[in-house]
Amino acid sequence: MVAELLPIIELGNPTLRQKASFVEDIHHQPTQKLIDDLMATVAKSNGVGIAAPQVAESSRLFIVASRPNQRYPNAPEMEPTAMINPAIIAHSTEVVKGWEGCLSIPGIRGLVPRYEAIEVEYIDRNGKPQKQEFTDFVARIFQHEHDHLDGIVFIDRVESTIDMITEQEYQKLMAKDAKK
Ligand code: ZN
């Protein structure tokens, strides 16, 4: 079976603002195909994560696929993982601000406060319950994608519009940081 690249919906599409439904049948072929298609789509888009609502599927499922790429040169490498019906069950008191972007909000970056560490539960694509701890950038990806399942996007969490910049200015900032 060949994975398909799915069109990504953008800010303004009402599906991005819906609360997504729990996934009932993980072994169901359309669910498994959606996972494969999301993995192909996030890889092709230079993303580090993608949630089903971003391809107009209002289901509680996302992919975390951190790896260094053009959009996130400093991202840690991990195996792309499908997380189904995920939940944050505990979190650090420490909150850190970091730059985020979103495939559904092209051209904009924002400094977003997120928990530094989280403990999560989800069901994997084989239907097995998983419990894991994530810190730093991967914890940030999880929180960003988890928000998508509740109709929340990163610009909702930016503390001030001053913390929002264009992609072009973000790239300049990163180039300057790399020289330090
Ligand atoms: Zn996003």
Side-chain angles (χ1 to χ4, degrees), residues 96-98 100 112 114 136-144:
V96 281
K97 274 196 196 181
E100 293 183 22
V112 185
R114 300 283 187 191
D136 305 308
F137 191 66
V138 178
R140 177 171 298 280
I141 300 171
F142 187 103
Q143 291 169 82
H144 175 118

Side-chain angles (χ1 to χ4, degrees), residues 46-119:
N46 285 315
V48 287
I50 192 168
Q54 292 183 272
V55 297
E57 280 291 335
S58 200
S59 299
R60 302 190 79 79
L61 144 65
F62 56 70
I63 311 293
V64 177
S66 179
R67 64 181 186 294
N69 63 34
Q70 221 177 302
R71 290 179 69 245
Y72 296 93
N74 305 317
E77 186 93 46
M78 69 178 273
E79 194 61 38
T81 308
M83 300 181 182
I84 301 156
N85 299 335
I88 297 169
I89 54 171
H91 60 77
S92 59
T93 48
E94 204 193 349
V95 168
V96 281
K97 274 196 196 181
W99 290 105
E100 293 183 22
C102 181
L103 296 172
S104 295
I105 311 174
I108 299 286
R109 297 284 183 144
L111 263 184
V112 185
R114 300 283 187 191
Y115 299 121
E116 199 270 326
I118 52 174
E119 192 180 344

